[in-house]
Amino acid sequence: MDTTESLDRAPAVPRLTVVRVGVSGHRSIPATVLPHVRSALRRRFSRKDVAWEAVSSLAAGADQLFADIALEYGVPVTAVIPGMDYETHLGDTQTQLTYRRILGSCTHRIDLPLQPTHEKAYVAAGQWIVEHVDHLVAVWDGRPARGPGGTGDVVAYARRLGVPVTVLWQAGVLRD
């Protein structure tokens, strides 16, 4: 008696849908909003019915928080590095150390082409993320961007392209 199974009789293995989710968000998140944002990201990445992939520029604040929580749940992270001297403009020493730590844990790294200004580099990074994800998470107070490539601009771009956006924020709280 032959005990080998043919491939056409092998049990079907369900495949999870891969969902690429990107982030755009404020560098400074008020302490009153932080628990809400953390909880929402943890709920998202703890879902076992989806194979998540996270995409982030690893900037201070929302981007680093998003990537850290994704990694905590074993979600592969792609780092999108704006085309400029990015690390030196991330902020203080702690933010730069966190950036390097997260970057070292990323599955993929996308280095965008050099841009003539920092603002254009931020715009290009936000657009790249939107164009390569299935969903955008915005840690955003709903107000206009403070400069080109800010969260308000990235959200508007995602909406123009029809990329679904989930805004994580607490009503009535404004960023610093």
Side-chain angles (χ1 to χ4, degrees), residues 1-52:
M1 176 176 199
D2 189 291
T3 59
T4 60
E5 272 189 45
S6 76
L7 290 177
D8 56 333
R9 288 187 289 149
V13 177
R15 292 194 175 183
L16 296 178
T17 301
V18 175
V19 177
R20 289 180 58 120
V21 61
V23 66
S24 183
H26 300 313
R27 290 177 182 246
S28 177
I29 305 170
T32 56
V33 176
L34 211 45
H36 169 72
V37 172
R38 280 190 181 116
S39 175
L41 291 174
R42 286 187 173 118
R43 273 194 314 276
R44 175 176 298 269
F45 289 131
S46 68
R47 285 184 51 195
K48 300 299 182 200
D49 60 330
V50 174
W52 296 107

Side-chain angles (χ1 to χ4, degrees), residues 21-24 29 37-38 41-42 45 53-80 98-108 129 137 139:
V21 61
V23 66
S24 183
I29 305 170
V37 172
R38 280 190 181 116
L41 291 174
R42 286 187 173 118
F45 289 131
E53 291 181 13
V55 183
S56 172
S57 289
L58 308 182
D63 288 26
Q64 289 184 358
L65 178 66
F66 173 88
D68 255 342
I69 291 174
L71 291 167
E72 175 184 324
Y73 283 88
V75 173
V77 176
T78 296
V80 178
T98 301
Y99 166 81
R100 282 187 225 122
R101 177 184 53 77
I102 296 171
L103 185 60
S105 297
C106 287
T107 307
H108 302 288
I129 289 172
V137 169
V139 180

